[in-house]
Amino acid sequence: MEIRSVEEIQVEGKRVFVRADLNVPLKDGRITDDTRIRAALPTLRYLLDGGAAVVLASHLGRPKGRPDPAFSLAPVAERLGELLGLSVFLAPDVVGPKVEPLARDLEPGEVLVLENVRFHPGETKNDPELARQLAALADAYVNDAFGTCHRAHASTAGMASLFPPDRRAAGLLLLKEIRAFERVLDRPDHPYVAVLGGAKVSDKIGVIRNLLPRVDRILVGGAMAYTFLKAQGIEVGGSFVEEDKLELARELLAQAREEGKEIALPADHVIARDLSAEAETRVTDGAEVPAGWKGVDIGPRTREAYARAVAGARTVVWNGPMGVFEIPAFAEGTVAVARAAADSPAFTVVGGGDSVAAVTQAGLADRISHISTGGGASLELLEGKTLPGIAALG
Ligand code: ADP
Ligand code: MG
């Protein structure tokens, strides 16, 4: 689908509505990480420098469809003002009579931040009346909130469709996400390796099915490896297994064989008595996990094999950690893959909240071609789904 960039629409002298993802972590009313606010700056600066007035909207946390001071965008507006070097106004509401005059009187170069869109019960229900009121605040619409594009909400898909095509566009951050996923889904260079791990096979079925025809190999790690191993009759001890997905795992392995693709499974493991930092640990000789032990990470031979595959690839997509990386003793497999991806000449895309956290923790994020800002949204794109927030911009 052809999506217009914010750079392709008229913004000078216009009021432009920007839906960003400013859902930053807060502790006692203070922002503990302003990455998401910084990520929104390029689009905002582009618009303000181009002579637009900006009406900015975001959700924050999970308020229950009504105002809740704990989730006010006040700290966000303040931090944004500091970063932009401007005074940024915070509206007292999402829409309505107190907001409309503020939006109307906005001058070019000024920013009005609406209150948390999820203070309004219509946001997550994609209420057409809320979408209409939001759309009435501006002349053009820019979506830069990739992380919420998989939800059809009033401030995403709902209001976008109320603007004519030449007055709706993707922001610079959203565009970068779209381009990266288009590249790995439609125009990948080969060899193409997907690394899939994390908690459950059931979370990644759609991704495996959609990627199998596109990739050369899928390297499986994390807890989901044990469902695949058990499906082949391999002893997995007390490892995490989805018993009701064994048949499905066999189907996926058969699909791979038919398509002449490889689904690689761990050849050895780090095992532990339980999932705690104090637990007794060992490394297995082979793919079996003895009774009384749990697989908690890929073992050294698997680490090396996966790192080699990633090093030799020209496209790498990675979703899901290779082990219980939250515990340092079980993070080596994940770190090895992260390091290999960082060193690889491949175009590398990492998606998924925990995978991104692991890469960031390892200090390797700036050496990955694209770190996705949306866990759920990136999974749905990898599953081959069209995201409503993106489709509505077309
Ligand atoms: P992402 O957020 O990157 O999509 P997931 O949410 O699917 O990843 O999976 C991450 C979780 O999987 C982590 O909390 C990690 O501890 C867990 N995990 C990985 N390997 C194992 C394992 N062998 N046993 C139990 N849990 C695991
Ligand atoms: Mg996760």
Side-chain angles (χ1 to χ4, degrees), residues 165-321:
D166 62 345
R167 288 200 273 130
R168 59 188 188 216
L172 301 171
L173 181 63
L174 176 57
L175 216 60
K176 186 171 175 280
E177 295 274 5
I178 294 173
R179 298 266 150 83
F181 284 97
E182 270 175 2
R183 180 162 170 186
V184 300
L185 290 167
D186 304 336
R187 300 174 273 110
D189 293 319
H190 291 266
Y192 184 174
V193 173
V195 186
L196 298 178
K200 294 182 182 167
V201 184
S202 47
D203 289 344
K204 312 280 158 98
I205 300 161
V207 176
I208 297 173
R209 286 207 196 283
N210 190 47
L211 288 184
L212 253 187
R214 294 172 161 82
V215 303
D216 300 297
R217 312 171 74 182
I218 295 182
L219 313 177
V220 174
M224 78 181 206
Y226 301 100
T227 300
F228 278 105
L229 289 170
K230 183 160 184 186
Q232 293 183 304
I234 294 169
E235 180 56 53
V236 296
S239 303
F240 178 83
V241 168
E242 287 168 278
E243 295 288 346
D244 60 337
K245 294 291 176 294
L246 292 171
E247 187 48 42
L248 174 83
R250 277 189 284 268
E251 271 169 44
L252 292 169
L253 291 166
Q255 187 190 339
R257 260 193 312 278
E258 270 163 38
E259 299 191 20
K261 305 294 171 66
E262 184 194 2
I263 294 183
L265 299 174
D268 61 349
H269 314 275
V270 176
I271 56 174
R273 287 291 186 187
D274 63 77
L275 302 187
S276 84
E278 296 76 34
E280 182 191 352
T281 66
R282 269 191 210 165
V283 172
T284 63
D285 289 329
E288 294 81 19
V289 176
W293 294 83
K294 293 175 178 21
V296 293
D297 195 7
I298 55 175
R301 280 195 291 130
T302 308
R303 230 178 272 159
E304 203 181 301
Y306 284 10
R308 208 178 315 119
V310 166
R314 292 186 62 206
T315 305
V316 175
V317 168
W318 179 17
N319 172 280

Side-chain angles (χ1 to χ4, degrees), residues 14-15 48 51-54 89 102-111:
K14 309 276 193 231
R15 277 173 308 158
L48 297 168
V54 171
F89 312 99
L102 295 173
R104 196 177 332 121
D105 296 343
L106 215 53
E107 298 286 339
E110 291 182 340
V111 181

Side-chain angles (χ1 to χ4, degrees), residues 335-348:
V335 172
V337 169
R339 223 176 261 134
D343 290 340
S344 172
F347 182 71
T348 47

